Amino acid sequence: MKVNCILLVDDDESDNYFHEYTIKKADICHNLKIATDGAKALEYIHRAGQSGQTEEYPLPDIIFLDINMPRMNGFEFLEEYKLLDQRLRSGIVITMLTTSLNPSDREKALQTGIVSEFLNKPLTPEMLEEILKKYFTK
């Protein structure tokens, strides 16, 4: 099972490097895109919507979202994401992927109604497999 596109939203270069390696090794997506903050992720989604799903800008099937980022953090991203046209948000599984062990962060993320999972870094092949099974097998 492969999804078309995964969008990593994280400002940490080493986390992105490791997560990119893990995703590519698991061979679960055709396209992997990286945004280093929430604002860049929103810009990417807008471009994907305007471009009509080109190879350069496919809409993501899964977004792995960090909480703590400069410019626009994960929670600020979620507030803006909710305002996007439904066609841009349809079918996207948002997973908070963070180092935060704060239970209130988990509760706040899941109460948004748009975050499907709240997982602790690092991303593992088992986590990827579980997300694919839960949300993308028919």
Side-chain angles (χ1 to χ4, degrees), residues 1-19:
M1 169 78 203
K2 272 189 173 184
V3 296
N4 187 40
C5 181
I6 292 176
L7 177 62
L8 288 174
V9 186
D10 197 328
D11 65 310
D12 188 296
E13 281 185 43
S14 58
D15 283 344
N16 283 335
Y17 179 82
F18 180 78
H19 293 149

mmCIF file of all heavy atoms in Angstrom, residues 1-19:
data_model
loop_
_atom_site.group_PDB
_atom_site.id
_atom_site.type_symbol
_atom_site.label_atom_id
_atom_site.label_comp_id
_atom_site.label_asym_id
_atom_site.label_seq_id
_atom_site.Cartn_x
_atom_site.Cartn_y
_atom_site.Cartn_z
ATOM 1 N N MET A 1 0.845 -1.193 0.000
ATOM 2 C CA MET A 1 0.000 0.000 0.000
ATOM 3 C C MET A 1 0.878 1.240 0.000
ATOM 4 O O MET A 1 1.772 1.358 0.816
ATOM 5 C CB MET A 1 -0.880 -0.045 1.261
ATOM 6 C CG MET A 1 -1.626 1.206 1.565
ATOM 7 S SD MET A 1 -3.047 1.317 0.482
ATOM 8 C CE MET A 1 -3.397 3.016 0.467
ATOM 9 N N LYS A 2 0.601 2.143 -0.944
ATOM 10 C CA LYS A 2 1.320 3.408 -1.026
ATOM 11 C C LYS A 2 0.325 4.553 -1.123
ATOM 12 O O LYS A 2 -0.686 4.424 -1.795
ATOM 13 C CB LYS A 2 2.199 3.458 -2.285
ATOM 14 C CG LYS A 2 3.562 2.905 -2.139
ATOM 15 C CD LYS A 2 4.359 3.235 -3.396
ATOM 16 C CE LYS A 2 5.793 2.833 -3.210
ATOM 17 N NZ LYS A 2 6.634 3.202 -4.336
ATOM 18 N N VAL A 3 0.653 5.648 -0.456
ATOM 19 C CA VAL A 3 -0.113 6.869 -0.642
ATOM 20 C C VAL A 3 0.639 7.717 -1.666
ATOM 21 O O VAL A 3 1.813 7.463 -1.957
ATOM 22 C CB VAL A 3 -0.323 7.634 0.685
ATOM 23 C CG1 VAL A 3 -1.167 6.820 1.649
ATOM 24 C CG2 VAL A 3 0.985 8.051 1.323
ATOM 25 N N ASN A 4 -0.028 8.714 -2.203
ATOM 26 C CA ASN A 4 0.622 9.546 -3.198
ATOM 27 C C ASN A 4 1.641 10.495 -2.576
ATOM 28 O O ASN A 4 2.766 10.595 -3.040
ATOM 29 C CB ASN A 4 -0.408 10.340 -4.009
ATOM 30 C CG ASN A 4 0.241 11.072 -5.166
ATOM 31 O OD1 ASN A 4 1.128 10.528 -5.828
ATOM 32 N ND2 ASN A 4 -0.169 12.290 -5.396
ATOM 33 N N CYS A 5 1.247 11.195 -1.493
ATOM 34 C CA CYS A 5 2.127 12.245 -0.966
ATOM 35 C C CYS A 5 2.067 12.347 0.556
ATOM 36 O O CYS A 5 0.989 12.302 1.150
ATOM 37 C CB CYS A 5 1.730 13.586 -1.584
ATOM 38 S SG CYS A 5 2.757 14.981 -1.058
ATOM 39 N N ILE A 6 3.235 12.515 1.148
ATOM 40 C CA ILE A 6 3.364 12.806 2.568
ATOM 41 C C ILE A 6 4.055 14.157 2.688
ATOM 42 O O ILE A 6 5.044 14.425 2.002
ATOM 43 C CB ILE A 6 4.181 11.724 3.303
ATOM 44 C CG1 ILE A 6 3.418 10.401 3.326
ATOM 45 C CG2 ILE A 6 4.518 12.177 4.732
ATOM 46 C CD1 ILE A 6 4.173 9.237 3.940
ATOM 47 N N LEU A 7 3.519 15.004 3.580
ATOM 48 C CA LEU A 7 4.109 16.311 3.857
ATOM 49 C C LEU A 7 4.625 16.317 5.290
ATOM 50 O O LEU A 7 3.854 16.137 6.231
ATOM 51 C CB LEU A 7 3.069 17.423 3.659
ATOM 52 C CG LEU A 7 3.492 18.853 3.984
ATOM 53 C CD1 LEU A 7 4.650 19.311 3.102
ATOM 54 C CD2 LEU A 7 2.298 19.806 3.845
ATOM 55 N N LEU A 8 5.949 16.482 5.439
ATOM 56 C CA LEU A 8 6.569 16.629 6.754
ATOM 57 C C LEU A 8 6.627 18.118 7.070
ATOM 58 O O LEU A 8 7.142 18.900 6.271
ATOM 59 C CB LEU A 8 8.010 16.107 6.747
ATOM 60 C CG LEU A 8 8.250 14.619 6.662
ATOM 61 C CD1 LEU A 8 9.749 14.345 6.532
ATOM 62 C CD2 LEU A 8 7.712 13.922 7.888
ATOM 63 N N VAL A 9 6.115 18.505 8.235
ATOM 64 C CA VAL A 9 6.160 19.905 8.637
ATOM 65 C C VAL A 9 6.939 19.979 9.944
ATOM 66 O O VAL A 9 6.421 19.676 11.020
ATOM 67 C CB VAL A 9 4.744 20.497 8.812
ATOM 68 C CG1 VAL A 9 4.827 22.005 9.092
ATOM 69 C CG2 VAL A 9 3.883 20.224 7.588
ATOM 70 N N ASP A 10 8.213 20.352 9.830
ATOM 71 C CA ASP A 10 9.109 20.365 10.984
ATOM 72 C C ASP A 10 10.302 21.254 10.658
ATOM 73 O O ASP A 10 10.815 21.215 9.544
ATOM 74 C CB ASP A 10 9.573 18.936 11.285
ATOM 75 C CG ASP A 10 10.162 18.766 12.677
ATOM 76 O OD1 ASP A 10 10.773 19.723 13.195
ATOM 77 O OD2 ASP A 10 10.015 17.667 13.232
ATOM 78 N N ASP A 11 10.754 22.020 11.635
ATOM 79 C CA ASP A 11 11.893 22.910 11.411
ATOM 80 C C ASP A 11 13.226 22.251 11.739
ATOM 81 O O ASP A 11 14.272 22.809 11.434
ATOM 82 C CB ASP A 11 11.746 24.186 12.245
ATOM 83 C CG ASP A 11 11.795 23.903 13.746
ATOM 84 O OD1 ASP A 11 11.058 23.000 14.203
ATOM 85 O OD2 ASP A 11 12.557 24.576 14.456
ATOM 86 N N ASP A 12 13.208 21.077 12.335
ATOM 87 C CA ASP A 12 14.439 20.421 12.767
ATOM 88 C C ASP A 12 15.033 19.602 11.616
ATOM 89 O O ASP A 12 14.456 18.604 11.192
ATOM 90 C CB ASP A 12 14.143 19.528 13.972
ATOM 91 C CG ASP A 12 15.406 18.965 14.596
ATOM 92 O OD1 ASP A 12 16.115 18.191 13.908
ATOM 93 O OD2 ASP A 12 15.683 19.300 15.767
ATOM 94 N N GLU A 13 16.197 20.028 11.136
ATOM 95 C CA GLU A 13 16.830 19.373 9.981
ATOM 96 C C GLU A 13 17.142 17.904 10.239
ATOM 97 O O GLU A 13 16.951 17.060 9.374
ATOM 98 C CB GLU A 13 18.117 20.099 9.590
ATOM 99 C CG GLU A 13 17.888 21.356 8.799
ATOM 100 C CD GLU A 13 19.195 21.978 8.342
ATOM 101 O OE1 GLU A 13 20.096 21.241 7.883
ATOM 102 O OE2 GLU A 13 19.299 23.209 8.445
ATOM 103 N N SER A 14 17.637 17.596 11.441
ATOM 104 C CA SER A 14 18.006 16.208 11.723
ATOM 105 C C SER A 14 16.764 15.322 11.811
ATOM 106 O O SER A 14 16.772 14.183 11.343
ATOM 107 C CB SER A 14 18.866 16.094 12.980
ATOM 108 O OG SER A 14 18.206 16.637 14.097
ATOM 109 N N ASP A 15 15.676 15.846 12.389
ATOM 110 C CA ASP A 15 14.421 15.075 12.417
ATOM 111 C C ASP A 15 13.916 14.837 11.002
ATOM 112 O O ASP A 15 13.491 13.740 10.659
ATOM 113 C CB ASP A 15 13.341 15.806 13.220
ATOM 114 C CG ASP A 15 13.537 15.682 14.724
ATOM 115 O OD1 ASP A 15 14.312 14.808 15.166
ATOM 116 O OD2 ASP A 15 12.908 16.463 15.456
ATOM 117 N N ASN A 16 13.951 15.884 10.176
ATOM 118 C CA ASN A 16 13.492 15.738 8.791
ATOM 119 C C ASN A 16 14.337 14.723 8.041
ATOM 120 O O ASN A 16 13.812 13.904 7.288
ATOM 121 C CB ASN A 16 13.507 17.085 8.060
ATOM 122 C CG ASN A 16 12.339 17.953 8.450
ATOM 123 O OD1 ASN A 16 11.296 17.461 8.885
ATOM 124 N ND2 ASN A 16 12.501 19.255 8.312
ATOM 125 N N TYR A 17 15.636 14.771 8.253
ATOM 126 C CA TYR A 17 16.537 13.817 7.593
ATOM 127 C C TYR A 17 16.176 12.388 7.998
ATOM 128 O O TYR A 17 16.025 11.512 7.161
ATOM 129 C CB TYR A 17 17.988 14.127 7.944
ATOM 130 C CG TYR A 17 18.967 13.164 7.328
ATOM 131 C CD1 TYR A 17 19.399 13.325 6.006
ATOM 132 C CD2 TYR A 17 19.447 12.079 8.051
ATOM 133 C CE1 TYR A 17 20.283 12.432 5.426
ATOM 134 C CE2 TYR A 17 20.329 11.174 7.475
ATOM 135 C CZ TYR A 17 20.752 11.358 6.171
ATOM 136 O OH TYR A 17 21.616 10.466 5.596
ATOM 137 N N PHE A 18 16.029 12.159 9.300
ATOM 138 C CA PHE A 18 15.712 10.818 9.803
ATOM 139 C C PHE A 18 14.334 10.364 9.332
ATOM 140 O O PHE A 18 14.162 9.219 8.887
ATOM 141 C CB PHE A 18 15.789 10.782 11.340
ATOM 142 C CG PHE A 18 15.468 9.435 11.894
ATOM 143 C CD1 PHE A 18 16.412 8.423 11.869
ATOM 144 C CD2 PHE A 18 14.214 9.162 12.413
ATOM 145 C CE1 PHE A 18 16.119 7.160 12.361
ATOM 146 C CE2 PHE A 18 13.902 7.899 12.895
ATOM 147 C CZ PHE A 18 14.856 6.899 12.874
ATOM 148 N N HIS A 19 13.339 11.251 9.410
ATOM 149 C CA HIS A 19 11.981 10.878 9.007
ATOM 150 C C HIS A 19 11.894 10.637 7.499
ATOM 151 O O HIS A 19 11.206 9.720 7.051
ATOM 152 C CB HIS A 19 10.974 11.930 9.470
ATOM 153 C CG HIS A 19 10.851 11.985 10.959
ATOM 154 N ND1 HIS A 19 10.549 13.124 11.646
ATOM 155 C CD2 HIS A 19 11.019 11.019 11.906
ATOM 156 C CE1 HIS A 19 10.521 12.860 12.939
ATOM 157 N NE2 HIS A 19 10.813 11.591 13.118
#
